[in-house]
Amino acid sequence: MLKEKIALHLAGPTPIPPQVAAAMTMPMINHRSDTFSVLCKEVASKLEALFRTQEQVYVLASSGSSGWETAMVNFVPAAVKVLNVIIGDFGERWSKANAELGYEVENLRYASGTAAKAADIATILEKNQGSIKAVCFQHNETSTGVSNPVKEIAAEAAKYGALSLVDGVSSVGALPLHMDEWGIDVAFTGSQKTLMCPPGLMIIAASKRAWAQADEAHTPKFYFNLQEYRKNYDKGQTPQTPAISLYYGLQAALQMLENEGWDKVQERHHLMGEMSRAGIKATGLKLLCQEEEFASDTLTAVIVPDEVKAATFLKTAKDSFGVIYAAGQGKELKERIFRIGHMGYMTPNDVLVALAAVENSLAAVGYDIQPGKAVAAAQEVWLRDIRQH
Amino acid sequence: MLKEKIALHLAGPTPIPPQVAAAMTMPMINHRSDTFSVLCKEVASKLEALFRTQEQVYVLASSGSSGWETAMVNFVPAAVKVLNVIIGDFGERWSKANAELGYEVENLRYASGTAAKAADIATILEKNQGSIKAVCFQHNETSTGVSNPVKEIAAEAAKYGALSLVDGVSSVGALPLHMDEWGIDVAFTGSQKTLMCPPGLMIIAASKRAWAQADEAHTPKFYFNLQEYRKNYDKGQTPQTPAISLYYGLQAALQMLENEGWDKVQERHHLMGEMSRAGIKATGLKLLCQEEEFASDTLTAVIVPDEVKAATFLKTAKDSFGVIYAAGQGKELKERIFRIGHMGYMTPNDVLVALAAVENSLAAVGYDIQPGKAVAAAQEVWLRDIRQH
Amino acid sequence: MLKEKIALHLAGPTPIPPQVAAAMTMPMINHRSDTFSVLCKEVASKLEALFRTQEQVYVLASSGSSGWETAMVNFVPAAVKVLNVIIGDFGERWSKANAELGYEVENLRYASGTAAKAADIATILEKNQGSIKAVCFQHNETSTGVSNPVKEIAAEAAKYGALSLVDGVSSVGALPLHMDEWGIDVAFTGSQKTLMCPPGLMIIAASKRAWAQADEAHTPKFYFNLQEYRKNYDKGQTPQTPAISLYYGLQAALQMLENEGWDKVQERHHLMGEMSRAGIKATGLKLLCQEEEFASDTLTAVIVPDEVKAATFLKTAKDSFGVIYAAGQGKELKERIFRIGHMGYMTPNDVLVALAAVENSLAAVGYDIQPGKAVAAAQEVWLRDIRQH
Amino acid sequence: MLKEKIALHLAGPTPIPPQVAAAMTMPMINHRSDTFSVLCKEVASKLEALFRTQEQVYVLASSGSSGWETAMVNFVPAAVKVLNVIIGDFGERWSKANAELGYEVENLRYASGTAAKAADIATILEKNQGSIKAVCFQHNETSTGVSNPVKEIAAEAAKYGALSLVDGVSSVGALPLHMDEWGIDVAFTGSQKTLMCPPGLMIIAASKRAWAQADEAHTPKFYFNLQEYRKNYDKGQTPQTPAISLYYGLQAALQMLENEGWDKVQERHHLMGEMSRAGIKATGLKLLCQEEEFASDTLTAVIVPDEVKAATFLKTAKDSFGVIYAAGQGKELKERIFRIGHMGYMTPNDVLVALAAVENSLAAVGYDIQPGKAVAAAQEVWLRDIRQH
């Protein structure tokens, strides 16, 4: 098999469009010049549409996970108490990061495959009587394929005077996220998942309420100090040298998404999510997320049947059927699930490929399955969608 | 839908791997330098493996269709009689080209969807008692998805003292073609179909027998004069300025094919051919080529059902399901068939996508079809193939 | 030394801008689709501005030298008498091509370094009393760095009823060429010299007078048959598969030239020509072209001093000073001159580099020269130019 | 003028080779796969050669300036006293960063254009009797074009039990830096200056002595926690998602430098430094750095003559002569100097261009200068260098 042509269905990085690849080859420019300012401002303007916000959106030269630290050290005073809502491994990691950064962390944990409940959060906030200063949670938990009820959680946080900090790394742009309307205080994402770019950029925005508290956030910081980004925003510059080639790539990617239409991008992801779930169900396999309402439209976690070894299945999918899925993440899930990424530079056709390889790989490793049902079910969902539009 | 991500199932050009695209961006070099010689010789060496020949293989800066003219003016004396075997539109076009080039053309025509029979050719050659100096035919007729019995035809031509000139534009590399062993006199291809490159290169080789007659081929010629290529071969140069960027691309593409294995490349195409046919049959649609033995492994022509308008179907496939097929070619077939290209930078996963879109597009335009069968049948073929290896 | 960063001052190919390289990586498209038509028409429209013509301009997938054959077989009847004006090796090669194509060739030769004189041509045309059907000549003879008086020669050809066929391979775009106004019948160029693209495209246009004679040009032809290009022009297609990646590159290159301004491009080349000549003269070296009026603004040929071996000089320039010049071309000039290309993606700064390396390389091989004068003289020319604008 | 072809002589970013640009377009891969591990380890291995160290070298997804924070929070205990040696604006910024990160900062300042003296540092360390835990300084101060005596300073730091932390952002690879031999405790650089890549990667290594103190460095940290990089090193992974495209670019760039030879790269930069200084002196202009021993070989700062306005000069250089220099940095130097970057993907030819534009731009804005002397002097230096090798 042509090993270079492989369908990448990771949880990220996701495939790069040729247009983005080409944009990244543009010659270097002075990042203190008007040429860069124009680029910087155009990217910011498109990102504001993406975040549905009228606040400034900043682009930092770092991976998506730097969003955790950046959200905290800029807006949450050092050493205060914060609530980490954990529905999967990325939630765990943020909680751990907060502890390392010196915060007093209270954790609210849910079983894998479950979404958080706003009421649970309200209960904890109530009990803590204002001592919890921030609620930290994922919009979309990439390790389990579950999306949290962001709007409801943000509302409870606001009610109790806590900031709502949202990790949108595998959601922003692909899943509905109305930063201003929903009262989200900080939201951030990375370049390498829904945004069709290579990793290396972290993108973040904060509400007026968050900014009002920024001066009290005395946690030592330098590189991730957003005050400096804020100062440089109007002239279209960044305090540190920006990752220019990735900036050009992001510009090209955002242009493609804008051309498609910000809403249409979300509709496409919703269709891909529905197709994935319908396909998996049609095979008789089980989804990790049992609640359709909270099922992620960017990634689907599937329970590996007892008779099958996850690693063998993944290797067969890659070597024999040209598809790379994400393995389970974290001790509990590593052997128990595999995950199908369906975000970014993907269309429903990619979902068909991913589903066919699930069936064929399972069959090839000896699992009793009749190939064809998954794709058929997914085709049906797609067809219905087309007929409705 | 993300319009930039579309599955290109044309009869050519075919998709370009990122590795080839990157190679094409290398800086210009002196085409009279050692640097180019090394490139030129490496490409030639890989092409000789591809053509299964010990003769020299030349790369010209021109489209694949220049192969017709180049084969003729270099090896067939001006104005002599030649036999054009026509099983589709490309056969017609070569015949027409030969007439324009001043040859006396005898045409042997077959119904669309049919392969030529070596016996028919023998009959004509016999009847003409040595006056026919060349037999011109397609290895793979791209307009109908039919492959000719090259070996048998070449044998007959040889028997009657005629050169066998083979248009391998949509076959070389992907379908078995043993130039030396089968006694083929001239074979040529283009860069943009099975070879995973953009159009712009024509690649050609000739047998010792053909070269022995070259001096008698007095047809006026300049640009396509292979004698000049022959003179420059040993120093790794070309008489005219080579298309350097495409040369770099070709080098990268051939390297990928060599890595996969020359035989494996053909096995992959055979699998894609089988999957395509099994899938189409499973839907109840009819293939244009009724003889499995001669069905093309690089392209499948499908008869459009009476109830469906070809153009509407094609538009739906593109706009709603993100797949571009080739329309029927030539007056007779334009409305009657559509064609699914499955060659070059493609894997069986691409065939699944192409098949699903056939079903869904037909369903979307109101044709009575139950989506899912085509992909299921193709998956089964693939699974069987994996199990056998 | 960083061997990848070398200043390419060949007679072609010339350096490729990153923007052109990036454009060439765009995904393949259907060359029978509207997407290609739009590209095709936009390129044609810019080329018409470049050729200063209201006629159609065609882009063929072939090297520049195919222009000789294309001009002849489309517009000049087979076997008639033509006049080849030869002021260098490219003139010789066209004459040879014409002979191979079956024309009766009359040659008018000039000493290397000399331009043709319209009066000489008139004399021959007069003597031949209308039997000469075409006058074939270079606008810019790349082997000697001499530009011919195109306008005057075209006028004489017209007067005597002969077509004027102009090889503009190293001139179109960079040197003034007013196709319509000067009454040129056929002009052509290649993609790889003044047009900042890799080789692989030949671009050609013909006057109404030429087209009026096209039907009588019965020379056998297929690939280079411009009638087919003419038929396909209005729908934005090409009869043969176009070299799509190069087409995208050409579009990007023409856009850059248009942005600069068609006239400004020529002014830049004129400045580079003047700087080159002033620099060479300042060193005491001799130019091959002694008449400033006819000196080429795209390439400067310099006489190698007697004490110096051309090959040693060229090797030193490349290995020690990072500059590649073109060697002398043809037996007579191979050891006698070297040539400095200054066209396409070049600025006066590239001329400074080229000149410094001339001095330094000569000095390094033991020639008695005081480095610095060449660049100083060139700087002065540039400074004067800036002051005048 | 062709505005896209401009000579970038910034202090960074520096020009990108086409080979690096092409490498950045490679398809995304799983950063937890063997494919990435191989890439990661190869890059690390080349970087260890570059740093002249047997310690591990880490690549982070961030700009070069993150090196300040990373060096501190990983190896210097929170809130202790540190010495910042300041010879220019980057020194000031590191000092400021240290203060923001909560360290007690003692500053040792020198006049612009001057290098630090190891003896001064010894005096301060002596006086502080072991309370200063780290000496922070630039190897090459990009704002003034002065290189510090790294070896001597590191030796004093070691003597007094302080760590030597070296900002090598504009030096590593281009200037001699023997990390292990010179006893440097932490050294770091960025991808966008000497390393021929776009910005976005920070590269850092630490000595055994530094690592031995790492556990006591309790400054809150998450993203820049090198312990995590250390844990992942042997499996060829990074704790955060790596900037894959830049990683590919860095691999290509390091391969080019290795091909040239690590020592040869430094020799090239030394030659460019000598040429720049000789050229500037020949014009009668003054260098900011008066001590040849400490003059930077990657960047030359030149004092703008009193009669000339810096901004006007820079604009003329860019618009009329196609060269972009770096302006002066920081309040004191903004109007007083301009800087010529000569590092990374540059050769002595680039220095010639930069020098010619200095003369011509000054002349064009009315300064009394005779163009030609700078380039002549630089040519002479180059010629002498060639003759000696």
Side-chain angles (χ1 to χ4, degrees), chain B residues 8 10 12-14 16 21 24-25 28-31 61-63 65-66 68-69 93 96-97 100-102 192 198-200 220-225 228 239-246, chain C residues 8 10 12-14 16 21 24-25 28-31 61-63 65-66 68-69 93 96-97 100-102 192 198-200 220-225 228 239-246:
Chain B
L8 211 64
L10 292 170
T14 58
I16 303 303
M24 296 194 304
T25 66
M28 285 298 103
I29 51 174
N30 185 352
H31 56 291
S62 53
S63 300
S65 58
S66 69
W68 301 332
E69 179 167 351
R93 287 169 67 185
K96 194 161 160 277
E100 286 168 9
L101 291 167
Q192 84 278 16
K221 60 183 162 285
F222 166 70
Y223 190 78
F224 296 121
N225 190 342
E228 300 297 322
Q240 318 303 343
T241 309
I244 295 172
S245 60
L246 294 173
Chain C
L8 210 64
L10 294 170
T14 58
I16 304 302
M24 296 195 302
T25 67
M28 285 298 103
I29 50 172
N30 186 353
H31 56 291
S62 53
S63 300
S65 58
S66 69
W68 300 332
E69 180 168 350
R93 286 171 67 185
K96 195 162 159 277
E100 287 168 9
L101 291 168
Q192 84 278 16
K221 60 184 162 284
F222 165 70
Y223 190 78
F224 296 120
N225 189 341
E228 300 297 323
Q240 319 303 342
T241 309
I244 295 172
S245 60
L246 294 173

Side-chain angles (χ1 to χ4, degrees), chain A residues 61-63 65 69 199 223 240-242, chain D residues 61 63 65 69 199 223 240-242:
Chain A
S62 54
S63 300
S65 58
E69 180 167 351
Y223 190 77
Q240 318 303 342
T241 310
Chain D
S63 299
S65 58
E69 179 168 352
Y223 190 78
Q240 318 304 343
T241 309

Side-chain angles (χ1 to χ4, degrees), chain D residues 176-220:
Chain D
L177 184 82
H178 296 260
M179 184 163 169
D180 290 359
E181 192 188 320
W182 293 0
I184 296 165
D185 290 306
V186 180
F188 59 87
T189 189
S191 48
Q192 83 279 17
K193 301 207 175 185
T194 61
L195 297 185
M196 315 196 299
C197 286
L201 298 178
M202 191 274 287
I203 300 154
I204 190 164
S207 70
K208 285 188 181 57
R209 198 166 66 120
W211 274 114
Q213 305 185 21
D215 284 343
E216 291 152 46
H218 298 299
T219 303

